[in-house]
């Protein structure tokens, strides 16, 4: 995963109730659009303290399966991540997690007025 960043650790800590209540975090970016006719991702913006905000450690994880593996891994063992396979006939195929974050930026603001922009590179 290229989303295992300091920024993710900061957000997960905030969700766990760690850190100062004087610190606000706003995350914005683009989500995977599961509509097969979609040409663009879905933009989003949300405050990490919001009751609607959810994030887990498995978010944005992708497993690339070895088509020549002696003992292939059952994707159902990790149902909440994206899975990608390759074969010479179909090329790349996969199962993605709907609304997975493709890329995002987290803005961290403290009550003293300072602002820190933390960028998280996505899968684009």
């Amino acid at each position: 995963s290229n989303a295992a960043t300091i920024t993710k650790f900061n957000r997960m800590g905030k969700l766990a109730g760690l850190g100062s209540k004087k610190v606000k975090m706003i995350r914005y970016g683009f989500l995977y659009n599961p509509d097969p006719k979609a040409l663009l991702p879905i933009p989003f913006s949300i405050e990490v303290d919001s009751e609607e905000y959810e994030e887990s450690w498995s978010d944005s994880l992708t497993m690339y399966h070895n088509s020549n593996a002696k003992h292939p891994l059952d994707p159902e063992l990790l149902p909440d991540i994206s899975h990608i396979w390759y074969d010479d006939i179909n090329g790349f195929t996969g199962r993605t997690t709907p609304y997975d974050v493709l890329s995002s930026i987290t803005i961290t603001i403290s009550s003293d007025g300072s602002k820190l922009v933390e960028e998280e590179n996505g899968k684009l």
Side-chain angles (χ1 to χ4, degrees):
S1 171
N2 60 358
T5 61
I6 296 294
T7 308
K8 180 166 183 111
F9 280 83
N10 288 343
R11 289 191 310 268
M12 295 300 287
K14 184 84 165 143
L15 288 172
L18 303 173
S20 172
K21 299 229 184 273
K22 296 178 181 180
V23 172
K24 295 291 179 195
M25 300 176 86
I26 301 165
R27 186 179 188 195
Y28 65 95
F30 297 97
L31 303 174
Y32 171 75
N33 190 335
D35 180 352
K37 296 179 182 179
L39 297 176
L40 298 172
I42 301 167
F44 78 94
S45 176
I46 190 165
E47 190 172 326
V48 175
D49 286 326
S50 167
E51 289 185 19
E52 291 86 40
Y53 186 79
E54 294 180 7
E55 184 172 5
S56 72
W57 286 108
S58 63
D59 287 359
S60 297
L61 285 176
T62 302
M63 176 175 283
Y64 291 86
H65 293 263
N66 180 351
S67 58
N68 299 314
K70 198 178 231 183
H71 304 286
L73 183 72
D74 179 0
E76 294 308 315
L77 293 173
L78 300 164
D80 47 340
I81 70 169
S82 295
H83 295 270
I84 307 293
W85 294 268
Y86 178 82
D87 66 58
D88 292 333
I89 297 168
N90 299 311
F92 287 101
T93 58
R95 182 179 80 194
T96 57
T97 306
Y99 309 106
D100 200 9
V101 175
L102 297 175
S103 67
S104 73
I105 294 174
T106 300
I107 298 174
T108 305
I109 304 168
S110 71
S111 63
D112 69 1
S114 62
K115 178 173 90 169
L116 173 65
V117 177
E118 301 177 306
E119 186 169 342
E120 180 176 317
N121 293 326
K123 294 189 221 176
L124 292 177

